[in-house]
Amino acid sequence: MTATRFFSDNAAAVHPAVMEALSAANHVDTAYDGDALSQSLDAAFSNLFETTCEVVWIPTGTAANSIILAHFVRPWQGILCYEEAHIEVDECGAPAFYSGGAKLMTLPGRGAKIDAEALKTRLSMVRKDVHQVQPAAISITNATEYGLAWRPSEVGAISEVARAEGLKLHMDGARFANAVAFTGCAPADVTWRAGVDALSFGFTKNGAMMAEAIVFFGGSGGAGVRELKKRGGHLLSKGRFVAAQIRAMLKDDLWLTNARAANAGAAALAAACGDRLMYPVEANELFVKLTADEAARLRKAGFDFYDWGTGAARLVTSWDQDSESVAPLAAAIAAL
Amino acid sequence: MTATRFFSDNAAAVHPAVMEALSAANHVDTAYDGDALSQSLDAAFSNLFETTCEVVWIPTGTAANSIILAHFVRPWQGILCYEEAHIEVDECGAPAFYSGGAKLMTLPGRGAKIDAEALKTRLSMVRKDVHQVQPAAISITNATEYGLAWRPSEVGAISEVARAEGLKLHMDGARFANAVAFTGCAPADVTWRAGVDALSFGFTKNGAMMAEAIVFFGGSGGAGVRELKKRGGHLLSKGRFVAAQIRAMLKDDLWLTNARAANAGAAALAAACGDRLMYPVEANELFVKLTADEAARLRKAGFDFYDWGTGAARLVTSWDQDSESVAPLAAAIAAL
Amino acid sequence: MTATRFFSDNAAAVHPAVMEALSAANHVDTAYDGDALSQSLDAAFSNLFETTCEVVWIPTGTAANSIILAHFVRPWQGILCYEEAHIEVDECGAPAFYSGGAKLMTLPGRGAKIDAEALKTRLSMVRKDVHQVQPAAISITNATEYGLAWRPSEVGAISEVARAEGLKLHMDGARFANAVAFTGCAPADVTWRAGVDALSFGFTKNGAMMAEAIVFFGGSGGAGVRELKKRGGHLLSKGRFVAAQIRAMLKDDLWLTNARAANAGAAALAAACGDRLMYPVEANELFVKLTADEAARLRKAGFDFYDWGTGAARLVTSWDQDSESVAPLAAAIAAL
Amino acid sequence: MTATRFFSDNAAAVHPAVMEALSAANHVDTAYDGDALSQSLDAAFSNLFETTCEVVWIPTGTAANSIILAHFVRPWQGILCYEEAHIEVDECGAPAFYSGGAKLMTLPGRGAKIDAEALKTRLSMVRKDVHQVQPAAISITNATEYGLAWRPSEVGAISEVARAEGLKLHMDGARFANAVAFTGCAPADVTWRAGVDALSFGFTKNGAMMAEAIVFFGGSGGAGVRELKKRGGHLLSKGRFVAAQIRAMLKDDLWLTNARAANAGAAALAAACGDRLMYPVEANELFVKLTADEAARLRKAGFDFYDWGTGAARLVTSWDQDSESVAPLAAAIAAL
């Protein structure tokens, strides 16, 4: 099925190394997050990011994003984000739920990237009084919802505005691995060195089963994060099995290896798509112009993918679909 | 370690059959809960409970309890429960979080069992006006927080009051398997036939990795449950791995086999504890009078358990600790 | 000051008849809303609107809007509204607070009027799944944020879409009196007969001190409204003083008389503004093109008003500013 | 009616000086709380309390209590209070609503006074982990729900525990005037000098129409209070009319004069009640043993009051009921 499935990296299998790590963790240990694996995460990520990190495992990206944002804003404040950001359109209002009603304040952007100038304009439109919701955080997604990777300098431009206005900067990294694999920059360069305060580091789409990391850079995220996790029902009693997945993904940079494979698959498809591409392909998602008839022909040939509005489709590659795996689809598209 | 670990069934290993089910599920399938395993749960539980059930998998018991209760009450209403109920003292306020601020209204009870008469008295104390929070649901725990199993007639007495007052009845079944294994009644008899509207059916403590089932009896739980699950961040993108655990636990009644083993271990310990027992031992938890000195001696001998206030301890057996496994601790207690 | 103050109808004085009503109500009566004045509101509004109404007094429009909307939607649902609606930009997130986090989903509109076609398009963009917030209510403002009055047929076009999609329709009537005074239609025609489910009927801007009415058409609004009012801290213990203001405003149609006076003042100004008008003037607000220099000259002459972005100003007339009162400002504008 | 009405000080009339202040304030001024009266409150209370105060007017005590408490605790934290505190049993869960779900953690107490020792015991029972809600504030009521006045030393004993545990101390002063009138202490002595961080200072029951003050001692209460007030719908657009009431109550110590009158009425009744009194009478509430037959006889004679459970009644005197006014009831009780 790796040759025909392009509808979601959420549908991909779990990497064998993660499965092995689950088996290896299957012995008695302390409950919740008191176990050795959970306790090892701070050090592991501090090493990866070259700075002191506080890390909290969490089973889903929705929970990761919401808990970080609820930590950064009070209920009467706002969160600036791209107008089609995952937190805005695909999480059933989770950030409002976790924060007690904070407002998402949306911005346009090319390829789902917020622009620093647009951000300044948006901020200048907020009257500084109690009648208007005052923003307290910015959230950006890397890779973006349209598959683009943020460059450190772009993040820096956003964080400069954030700092000037006293806003926290969150990065939704559901596909952080794919973005870093593309730019080749150090994880530190596109996060805390560029001004990011906290990262939702996703592993599930990239080969894990249900494992994401909330990463606070530069010491502790402060009081409340672990309470929100418990209160939200995310403190699994056998939490070591989530930590084990993360450790497996970090070992020997499996997270990068997997992301590179998915990116390679996407790049191979991109080459076949040519002018059909709506955005540059930098990670593992392609947005492709496709008539209804063309889409039907590809589906008839067995390929599975999402329509993206009218006249377009989204193709997603996964860690188990490298350039070789996608060759049949690439050929089929080229032959349309 | 099975011979020495008695501090929590959350610390136990995952049953091999569950591990195998995870491996078997490790192929591509639809994301979230659209997969065949997730879709099979309604039928599987409907069969087990001999009535139409709507079932929603969820990774934790805290989330299961909170989502059911948030579904049954509005933010300005209340939930009646035992004064040391798990939802009251061990979930960091999760039911208040999910419900938008509903109030837990506590009751005393022997062995953590609410009494129908006390319930009536408590209800009679609520003025029917907008100044006082009006209860809309009752939550009971089976097995209780002190290890007792509810009999169908006892549940029926509670539900009779609930029906008369228009309250929904929820059962927190984190250790439902142990309770049913003890009484030997049909699962239906102690739930919907006795008036229970929804059950949090726990599998994690009983051999799964992170898998609980929200069970609504008699058709659909209604709109909102799946939205709350998503909004709470519990709709895992690879949800089939939670459903797979549940199917493994149901297969050949593994849930009952595991619970019987844990109960047998607890019964063997109970026999050794004699007058030390604070409550009858009906499930897999023992509350035992133990001086600080005695506790120290047991710990020195390698046994691990929680103190329960002063002069007492809690011992918990797990699915991998049958009567044989617990023999060393039984002997050590008898020798005190 | 009536000749120089144009910055807000919130700054106007309280009408003498309302002051007299407060004095007349100053005797002992039952607390909260059990008094005769509070109890008389259902009948008074049922008479005015020619249908059975359930009416709840409330001190502010923000609370009126929020309580109605929180009554119509669940926390995981959405509220469609104009992108600069008062509930979206001027209430510090109150609708999200009262509803437990419901999402405002904004739409463009000319003169702050939502368009039925744009509404259908917006609705068609919402995927019917648990990942996206599903709208459950529409809120429109009459008179709009830019001073336009809704015609019954326009409201009907919106409500037709609402009915087809199962959405409730709310009208924010902070300046309902001004709108009705302009169109001359029966209050019923532009509300329930056109499909409105509930109205926030404002009196404070129109001569009261702190008095608004939540009006549910066609019987009861249902359970929860009074609980939300109490829980929000709006059930004044001497509530009769709010009800008294409303009764004074209804008596001899004072609400219409006052609105007509304010509208006449606005119309007189409009005539003087000519091409400077950004929108037709239908109620008591004018949005006027004005250079910084012109604004400065008017202010130097003693007139007080808000700038509206750059190169424009907002002028608001009140019940105590009829066409005669505004003559000096009209002359000053004409002379610019 | 002043001779027969004893069911609530909420039912009393508004003092003439307050009515005059409303009339005097009835001219144009800035909207919301930008007016001179609102702006004068910080200085007025700073003078009264002999320290820098930040003061926010608010129409109800429920809102005052909730906003202060929501300011002191985060949603996952708790508020310690007496088990029959007004915030626990009479506000429809408002503190949970405003705080986003914080938990009220109740304590017993004699005459509704929390005891420092019981407080320490309760605190010692909370495990310091994320599973249990951690208290962050204590709320006491002065005068208490059973009409007792806190002495500065008693408040100091509570605040000593609060300081040691890092908890904020709130005083619900719905009848603060009556308590201070009884003890004769300086307002400062029983509040900030005794360790109180914020006070809900009630005026409505004591002769105002709808006016309470949120008082933060020792400078600013910090960010968020005014946002919560707006978000809760309590920032009246003609707010000067609330501020005017408060200024009238402070002028020439009208608040004390009124409270002394009500207390005198209560004392006169207390003398007539003798052994019937369930608690010492220190403010304006009496809890009196009264058989159903006796209650019926008093009601037949025209007196109005609440039953208090079975075999008891609550009598409340107001600012317009001094010892002379209550003579008929005193005589009637003596004659029972």
Side-chain angles (χ1 to χ4, degrees), chain A residues 202-287:
Chain A
F203 295 100
T204 309
K205 293 177 193 294
N206 194 28
M209 190 183 274
M210 72 288 273
E212 318 276 311
I214 292 172
V215 183
F216 288 101
F217 299 108
S220 163
V225 169
R226 287 166 199 280
E227 285 80 358
L228 267 177
K229 173 179 168 176
K230 173 63 194 174
R231 188 170 170 86
H234 291 288
L235 184 54
L236 306 192
S237 59
K238 296 180 178 172
R240 57 197 180 276
F241 290 103
V242 178
Q245 297 175 53
I246 296 175
R247 291 307 309 262
M249 290 295 296
L250 294 186
K251 196 181 172 197
D252 300 332
D253 285 340
L254 180 60
W255 65 285
L256 268 178
T257 307
N258 281 1
R260 281 177 190 136
N263 285 5
L269 284 178
C273 290
D275 286 351
R276 294 178 182 276
L277 292 178
M278 298 164 67
Y279 302 98
V281 174
E282 301 185 350
N284 63 327
E285 291 187 292
L286 300 94
F287 296 84

Side-chain angles (χ1 to χ4, degrees), chain C residues 1 5 7-15 19 22-23 26-32 59-60 62-63 86 90-94 96-98 204-205 207-210 227-228 230-238 240-242 245 319-320, chain D residues 1 5 7-15 19 22-23 26-32 59-60 62-63 86 90-94 96-98 204-205 207-210 227-228 230-238 240-242 245 319-320:
Chain C
M1 269 182 84
R5 174 248 321 160
F7 70 93
S8 176
D9 36 8
N10 285 325
V14 171
H15 192 276
M19 295 303 289
L22 291 176
S23 291
N26 194 19
H27 51 76
V28 169
D29 202 335
T30 302
Y32 302 108
T60 67
T62 294
H86 198 265
D90 277 310
E91 300 187 349
C92 199
F97 175 45
Y98 273 85
T204 309
K205 293 177 193 294
M209 190 182 274
M210 72 288 273
E227 286 80 359
L228 266 176
K230 173 63 195 174
R231 188 171 170 85
H234 291 288
L235 184 54
L236 306 192
S237 59
K238 296 180 178 172
R240 56 198 180 277
F241 291 103
V242 179
Q245 297 176 53
W319 65 270
D320 57 355
Chain D
M1 269 182 85
R5 174 248 321 160
F7 70 92
S8 176
D9 35 9
N10 285 325
V14 171
H15 192 276
M19 295 302 291
L22 290 176
S23 292
N26 193 19
H27 51 77
V28 168
D29 202 335
T30 303
Y32 302 109
T60 68
T62 293
H86 198 266
D90 278 310
E91 300 187 349
C92 199
F97 175 45
Y98 273 87
T204 309
K205 293 176 193 295
M209 191 182 274
M210 73 288 273
E227 285 80 358
L228 267 176
K230 172 64 194 174
R231 189 170 169 85
H234 291 289
L235 183 54
L236 305 192
S237 58
K238 297 180 179 172
R240 55 198 181 275
F241 290 103
V242 179
Q245 297 175 52
W319 65 270
D320 57 355

Side-chain angles (χ1 to χ4, degrees), chain D:
Chain D
M1 269 182 85
T2 55
T4 56
R5 174 248 321 160
F6 296 92
F7 70 92
S8 176
D9 35 9
N10 285 325
V14 171
H15 192 276
V18 173
M19 295 302 291
E20 280 162 33
L22 290 176
S23 292
N26 193 19
H27 51 77
V28 168
D29 202 335
T30 303
Y32 302 109
D33 58 4
D35 61 282
L37 284 165
S38 298
Q39 297 292 315
S40 77
L41 296 182
D42 283 4
F45 282 84
S46 295
N47 186 49
L48 178 62
F49 281 98
E50 308 169 53
T51 190
T52 307
C53 294
E54 182 187 5
V55 177
V56 178
W57 55 252
I58 200 91
T60 68
T62 293
N65 292 337
S66 295
I67 290 175
I68 292 173
L69 292 169
H71 187 64
F72 283 162
V73 306
R74 298 299 299 267
W76 53 85
Q77 296 179 317
I79 300 156
L80 292 152
C81 67
Y82 171 60
E83 62 195 357
E84 296 177 57
H86 198 266
I87 57 172
E88 166 72 8
V89 300
D90 278 310
E91 300 187 349
C92 199
F97 175 45
Y98 273 87
S99 66
K103 188 178 196 65
L104 297 191
M105 307 171 82
T106 60
L107 290 166
R110 251 179 301 182
K113 267 189 202 166
I114 294 177
D115 176 76
E117 285 313 307
L119 181 59
K120 282 183 207 167
T121 304
R122 181 73 181 79
L123 284 163
S124 72
M125 288 165 59
V126 180
R127 286 196 325 268
K128 303 268 184 193
D129 63 29
V130 299
H131 300 265
Q132 298 214 318
V133 172
Q134 305 295 315
I138 304 174
S139 180
I140 60 176
T141 307
N142 191 24
T144 74
E145 283 77 9
Y146 284 112
L148 302 187
W150 284 82
R151 274 63 169 177
S153 62
E154 293 171 328
V155 176
I158 296 293
S159 76
E160 198 176 318
V161 181
R163 287 297 170 274
E165 298 277 342
L167 312 174
K168 292 282 187 178
L169 181 55
H170 165 244
M171 179 176 280
D172 175 354
R175 295 188 180 91
F176 181 73
N178 302 283
V180 170
F182 176 78
T183 60
C185 69
D189 287 347
V190 76
T191 56
W192 66 273
R193 281 200 195 111
V196 171
D197 294 295
L199 168 71
S200 303
F201 194 150
F203 295 101
T204 309
K205 293 176 193 295
N206 195 28
M209 191 182 274
M210 73 288 273
E212 318 276 311
I214 292 173
V215 184
F216 288 100
F217 300 109
S220 163
V225 168
R226 287 167 199 277
E227 285 80 358
L228 267 176
K229 173 179 169 177
K230 172 64 194 174
R231 189 170 169 85
H234 291 289
L235 183 54
L236 305 192
S237 58
K238 297 180 179 172
R240 55 198 181 275
F241 290 103
V242 179
Q245 297 175 52
I246 296 175
R247 291 307 309 263
M249 290 296 295
L250 295 185
K251 195 181 174 197
D252 300 332
D253 285 340
L254 179 61
W255 65 284
L256 268 178
T257 306
N258 281 0
R260 282 178 190 134
N263 285 6
L269 285 178
C273 289
D275 287 352
R276 293 178 182 275
L277 293 177
M278 298 163 68
Y279 302 98
V281 175
E282 300 185 350
N284 64 326
E285 292 186 293
L286 299 94
F287 296 84
V288 182
K289 287 177 211 148
L290 214 58
T291 66
D293 177 61
E294 290 169 335
R297 281 154 64 192
L298 290 177
R299 288 201 169 98
K300 200 173 170 191
F303 301 105
D304 194 10
F305 51 87
Y306 273 129
D307 288 325
W308 200 259
T310 306
R314 188 188 72 161
L315 307 174
V316 189
T317 56
S318 304
W319 65 270
D320 57 355
Q321 293 170 300
D322 59 12
S323 51
E324 203 168 326
S325 309
V326 306
L329 177 57
I333 291 172
L336 283 174

